[in-house]
Amino acid sequence: MQIINKESKSYVTWVLLAVTIGVFIVESVVGGSQNYQTLLLMGAKTNNLVQAGQWWRLITPIFLHIGIFHIFMNGFTLLYVGQILEPMVGHWRFFVIYMLSGIMGNLASFAFGANNVISAGASTSLFGMFAAFLALGLIYRENRFLRELGKSFLGLIAINLLMDLTMSGIDIWGHIGGAVGGLLLGYALGLPKISRPKMIFRILAILVAIAISYYMYAKGMIVYG
């Protein structure tokens, strides 16, 4: 079983990081990365605007960050973890996991999070990356490396979620949604050139991801008087 292609470069990881840093520079120039109006202008998620039809605010927050510490931590995590995951699953699988788990995280925040706040950050996608390792560990349990890697990232997810409960200003629902998305997408995509899991289970994982996403979107679109 091929796990890491040493000749594969982490092109997508570097492109995502470059775009994220570029967006942060624009934020800073336009009005500041911690300025409420600037964040809204750049596409931060706030429930009432998504309910008003601005659906792209479920995507754009992945590339926005609030403050230098925020982007530093998320950027470092993206670079470090991405250079492990991308060579394992391949470029397009990595991109799909990163983007769609990020969107599922924002959908969870939209459905279950507070209505009167804005949210931004790549952490929804990062939790999806963490959970993708868990999925690979579950699929290929006979491989000790993947099994132990999955356990390590499961622990990382648990520790971070426990920390979320003790900290203010953290969108825990976004993190949970991103992790659920990454787990399902990791299971659906698996490793390249390996016929496991079976196609029926891949399709089932995709259908579950779609069903959960639709439910969260529909729930978030309910406007309470």
Side-chain angles (χ1 to χ4, degrees):
M1 177 187 296
Q2 182 179 6
I3 298 175
I4 297 179
N5 181 1
K6 294 182 179 180
E7 297 180 356
S8 176
K9 305 297 182 181
S10 304
Y11 301 119
V12 177
T13 296
W14 282 101
V15 169
L16 289 170
L17 180 61
V19 171
T20 301
I21 293 174
V23 170
F24 185 79
I25 293 173
V26 173
E27 287 179 64
S28 302
V29 171
V30 169
S33 64
Q34 294 178 294
N35 182 278
Y36 185 87
Q37 293 301 324
T38 299
L39 289 166
L40 283 183
L41 176 67
M42 296 288 291
K45 185 194 74 67
T46 181
N47 285 6
N48 65 312
L49 291 180
V50 178
Q51 291 169 341
Q54 298 182 20
W55 53 266
W56 59 85
R57 292 182 184 271
L58 298 170
I59 304 171
T60 49
I62 296 172
F63 299 99
L64 292 170
H65 288 83
I66 305 172
I68 189 69
F69 180 75
H70 193 202
I71 190 173
F72 176 80
M73 292 301 298
N74 282 356
F76 176 81
T77 305
L78 166 58
L79 182 60
Y80 181 78
V81 179
Q83 290 186 102
I84 302 173
L85 182 61
E86 185 178 348
M88 290 175 62
V89 301
H91 305 307
W92 74 264
R93 284 178 173 84
F94 175 75
F95 181 75
V96 168
I97 290 170
Y98 188 86
M99 291 302 301
L100 294 190
S101 59
I103 293 170
M104 284 190 70
N106 288 327
L107 279 169
S109 174
F110 178 53
F112 306 111
N115 287 321
N116 58 343
V117 299
I118 64 171
S119 60
S123 55
T124 51
S125 294
L126 300 181
F127 269 79
M129 292 165 59
F130 299 162
F133 285 109
L134 175 58
L136 295 178
L138 292 172
I139 298 169
Y140 311 106
R141 289 186 295 273
E142 75 283 357
N143 186 291
R144 183 177 179 182
F145 173 74
L146 289 177
R147 189 172 66 248
E148 294 302 318
L149 199 60
K151 289 180 181 178
S152 298
F153 277 95
L154 174 60
L156 184 61
I157 291 171
I159 291 170
N160 276 276
L161 291 179
L162 287 174
M163 290 176 60
D164 290 348
L165 293 173
T166 65
M167 301 172 64
S168 60
I170 302 296
D171 189 353
I172 188 172
W173 284 111
H175 293 172
I176 293 172
V180 171
L183 180 66
L184 291 170
L185 291 165
Y187 199 88
L189 297 174
L191 292 174
K193 299 179 181 179
I194 298 176
S195 59
R196 290 171 50 204
K198 293 181 178 179
M199 184 57 65
I200 184 64
F201 296 119
R202 294 175 185 261
I203 294 173
L204 182 61
I206 293 173
L207 291 177
V208 171
I210 292 173
I212 291 175
S213 298
Y214 177 79
Y215 168 77
M216 292 189 297
Y217 181 76
K219 187 178 188 308
M221 288 300 289
I222 298 174
V223 180
Y224 296 97

